[in-house]
Amino acid sequence: MASDVLKLSGRVLPITTDNCRLYMKTGERVVAGESAIAEAVIAESAQRPTLWIEPPARLSESAREAIEPADMIVIAPGNLYCALVPSLLVDGVSEALQRSSAQVVYVANLVNKPQHTAEFSVADYVDELERYIGAPRIDTVLYNTDEPSPDLLERYALDGEYPVTADEAVLKQQHYQAIGGAFMKKDDIVVDEDESSDDAKQDVRLKRSYIRHDGTAIAEKIQKILT
C-alpha cells in the first residue's frame, strides 16, 4: 500500500512484522509509546536517552535479504528517537548492517526537534545512530550548507526550531566522510490550475513555506558516491 501511495518504482519492506512497543528512559523517567515519546522533553536531560522495544521484535526476512547484499544503504533524515533509532532496535538489524559490505550513507536532518535534539550538530546525530548500531558503521554523511530564507527561519524559531549545525573542523576528524552541499529545496512550488472550461492549464507559483530537502540534489550526490 505504501508503494502505491508514494508511487515508488522500488519495494517498501517492513523492518519487522512483530507487534511491539517503543520505550524510553531519560533520567529517572520511563516513557512508553511512540506518541508519548514524541511529546517528551529529552533535550534538558544531562544524558542521552535509552530506548528499547518490548516485546523484542525480529528483523523480517525480506528486510534482511535486502540489507545484507546491498551496494548502498541510505539512512534517510527523520525524527531521530521516534523513527530512525526504533528501526535499529529490532533484533538482527545491527548485525545485518555490520555483516553487509554496503556503503552506509546518512542524510542529515535540516532542522532540530526542540524537545528532543535541540542544539544537536550533524556529528551528534551520527553519534546517536552509531550508538544504537553498536559500531562505527556510517561511511558517508550528507549535510546541508544552504541557508533558509529569513522569513522561514523566523517562522521556525517561533516554535523553537533551528537548523542543524555543522562544525566542519569536528566533521573532518570523524571516521566517516562528511559532504556538505545545497541539499535544501528553495524554489517556489509550482502547481497546475484550471484556467478555463476547455481544461487549459496555468502554472500557479506558491511561496515555499517549509524547510525541506531537495530530493533531486541528494539523489544525484548519492549516485556519484555509488559510482
Side-chain angles (χ1 to χ4, degrees):
M1 288 177 65
S3 294
D4 291 340
V5 170
L6 298 174
K7 299 180 181 178
L8 301 181
S9 58
R11 295 179 298 158
V12 176
L13 304 172
I15 199 73
T16 186
T17 55
D18 294 334
N19 187 17
C20 56
R21 195 177 193 194
L22 182 65
Y23 289 83
M24 177 189 71
K25 183 176 182 181
T26 175
E28 298 301 317
R29 182 173 53 127
V30 173
V31 183
E34 180 183 341
S35 297
I37 292 171
E39 299 300 322
V41 178
I42 303 172
E44 296 177 359
S45 176
Q47 295 181 328
R48 299 279 170 85
T50 298
L51 289 96
W52 69 96
I53 52 178
E54 292 181 13
R58 299 160 297 174
L59 175 63
S60 70
E61 192 58 33
S62 60
R64 185 192 309 277
E65 291 173 354
I67 292 171
E68 293 187 358
D71 296 316
M72 177 178 282
I73 297 167
V74 179
I75 301 176
N79 186 307
L80 180 63
Y81 294 124
C82 290
L84 303 186
V85 167
S87 293
L88 301 175
L89 300 174
V90 173
D91 288 348
V93 172
S94 176
E95 293 81 1
L97 286 172
Q98 294 182 52
R99 279 195 299 267
S100 175
S101 60
Q103 295 185 65
V104 178
V105 177
Y106 167 55
V107 181
N109 284 18
L110 295 173
V111 179
N112 284 323
K113 182 176 173 60
Q115 294 181 321
H116 285 194
T117 56
E119 300 182 1
F120 260 42
S121 67
V122 171
D124 290 325
Y125 279 91
V126 181
D127 287 346
E128 282 294 80
L129 289 171
E130 292 191 329
R131 177 161 73 96
Y132 284 97
I133 293 173
R137 187 62 187 86
I138 293 175
D139 301 300
T140 306
V141 176
L142 302 183
Y143 67 94
N144 176 61
T145 57
D146 219 348
E147 281 286 334
S149 64
D151 59 324
L152 272 181
L153 286 174
E154 184 177 352
R155 178 181 300 179
Y156 272 71
L158 292 174
D159 293 323
E161 298 178 326
Y162 298 92
V164 177
T165 58
D167 187 326
E168 294 187 359
V170 171
L171 291 173
K172 287 180 180 178
Q173 298 174 1
Q174 306 306 313
H175 63 273
Y176 47 83
Q177 179 185 24
I179 302 174
F183 298 130
M184 187 182 68
K185 201 78 171 174
K186 296 188 76 173
D187 57 332
D188 293 338
I189 302 169
V190 180
V191 297
D192 290 330
E193 186 175 85
D194 287 343
E195 187 179 47
S196 62
S197 58
D198 61 1
D199 292 331
K201 296 292 184 179
Q202 176 185 4
D203 283 347
V204 177
R205 305 187 74 84
L206 304 176
K207 191 173 183 180
R208 187 162 293 279
S209 55
Y210 294 100
I211 298 174
R212 294 290 185 265
H213 282 90
D214 185 333
T216 300
I218 292 171
E220 289 175 352
K221 180 59 70 173
I222 285 174
Q223 287 179 329
K224 290 180 179 178
I225 295 171
L226 188 58
T227 56

